[in-house]
Amino acid sequence: MMEFLKSLTDGNVAAFFLLLLRFAGIFAFFPFFDSQLVPVSVRGALSFFMALLFFPLVSYVSLDMTWENLLIAGVMEVLLGFSASLVLQIVFSAIALASDSISFSMGLTMASAYDPISGAQKSIVGQVIALLAIVLALSLNFHHFVFLFIAHTLSTIPLGGFELSGGIIAYLIKAFAQMFLVGFAMAFPILGLILLSDVIFGMIMKTHPQFNLLAIGFPVKIAIAFVVIILIIPAIMLRFKNELQAAFYALNQLF
């Protein structure tokens, strides 16, 4: 007990507080952990226990940190988690963009339901693809990578010493621009086939005006899209896997 009380120095308390904020920033913004299915109380408790577990890895303890510097350091720790989460959130946003494009082209935009992950209304097709993406991410030990990433940052970035460099900003801008290209590439087979079917239905209506597009063409288009989704979903998940692994590599290089 006395040894524990002796360890409660100003430097150790400040270091634990900053480490707790680093974990809080990670669990508050990282994909999967920011889900509505994970309560805030669970994320807070997980941040506290992980800070206790990783505290022996802390090699930098400031002994003369003022309250002003401690506040700035705490903000930078949260900013570290936010900026790191953007690298991964862009990948998940790309597949969300692809799924929304697919739903819109199929005419199933109105077929939406409450998404427990995002806490908003989302198309059924988008929810299925998003759940597959999360399952794939977990199969790649995404949750393990989070702890490895924090251990890596503790050895490269001292507590309170994070700076938003130009390299991180440049990568985020480039990745954000790439997000639209990746999302369109994932949805392109279905978008192209549906566009081709619309052209064919238009030609049929031009030659046969009595053709009822809503009664015949609309269900046929949805059926074709579902068949194509079943065929290309492995390719979509493979592209998502490659982009996620590239994001993991970028995090290790940037932080």
Side-chain angles (χ1 to χ4, degrees):
M1 186 64 181
M2 294 301 297
E3 294 180 358
F4 173 74
L5 294 177
K6 291 179 180 179
S7 65
L8 295 179
T9 61
D10 294 341
N12 288 339
V13 172
F16 181 80
F17 174 72
L18 294 177
L19 182 61
L20 178 63
L21 288 180
R22 180 170 295 192
F23 273 101
I26 295 293
F27 291 133
F29 302 113
F30 261 50
F32 175 73
F33 293 101
D34 66 341
S35 170
Q36 298 292 327
L37 298 177
V38 183
V40 177
S41 58
V42 173
R43 279 179 273 179
L46 186 61
S47 301
F48 178 78
F49 287 113
M50 287 298 103
L52 287 176
L53 183 63
F54 278 74
F55 187 74
L57 298 179
V58 175
S59 58
Y60 174 81
V61 179
S62 177
L63 299 177
D64 55 352
M65 182 174 289
T66 63
W67 283 105
E68 293 81 4
N69 294 335
L70 183 63
L71 180 61
I72 296 175
V75 172
M76 298 308 295
E77 290 297 325
V78 177
L79 182 61
L80 185 150
F82 176 73
S83 57
S85 69
L86 284 179
V87 178
L88 299 176
Q89 289 286 4
I90 288 175
V91 179
F92 282 85
S93 298
I95 198 168
L97 176 63
S99 61
D100 290 341
S101 301
I102 292 172
S103 300
F104 180 80
S105 62
M106 293 174 61
L108 295 179
T109 306
M110 297 300 295
S112 60
Y114 176 76
D115 182 16
I117 298 177
S118 61
Q121 292 288 330
K122 197 171 183 179
S123 63
I124 302 298
V125 177
Q127 290 189 37
V128 172
I129 296 178
L131 289 174
L132 286 176
I134 291 178
V135 171
L136 178 61
L138 293 177
S139 68
L140 295 174
N141 294 326
F142 173 80
H143 48 304
H144 295 168
F145 167 79
V146 174
F147 303 117
L148 292 175
F149 171 72
I150 295 178
H152 170 73
T153 58
L154 288 177
S155 61
T156 58
I157 304 175
L159 292 175
F162 172 72
E163 295 181 359
L164 192 60
S165 63
I168 298 177
I169 297 176
Y171 176 84
L172 291 176
I173 294 174
K174 182 180 179 180
F176 182 77
Q178 193 77 6
M179 176 188 72
F180 297 95
L181 179 61
V182 173
F184 179 76
M186 291 179 179
F188 177 75
I190 299 177
L191 298 181
L193 190 60
I194 290 179
L195 178 61
L196 180 61
S197 65
D198 288 337
V199 172
I200 295 174
F201 289 145
M203 295 172 62
I204 295 176
M205 287 188 64
K206 201 68 175 178
T207 57
H208 298 81
Q210 69 275 13
F211 177 75
N212 193 336
L213 179 62
L214 293 178
I216 301 175
F218 192 67
V220 170
K221 185 169 66 173
I222 293 178
I224 293 174
F226 272 121
V227 172
V228 178
I229 289 177
I230 295 173
L231 293 176
I232 71 167
I233 196 66
I236 294 177
M237 292 296 107
L238 179 61
R239 180 62 185 271
F240 171 76
K241 174 184 176 181
N242 295 334
E243 294 295 330
L244 192 61
Q245 290 177 340
F248 290 163
Y249 178 77
L251 281 179
N252 289 327
Q253 297 298 318
L254 294 173
F255 295 90

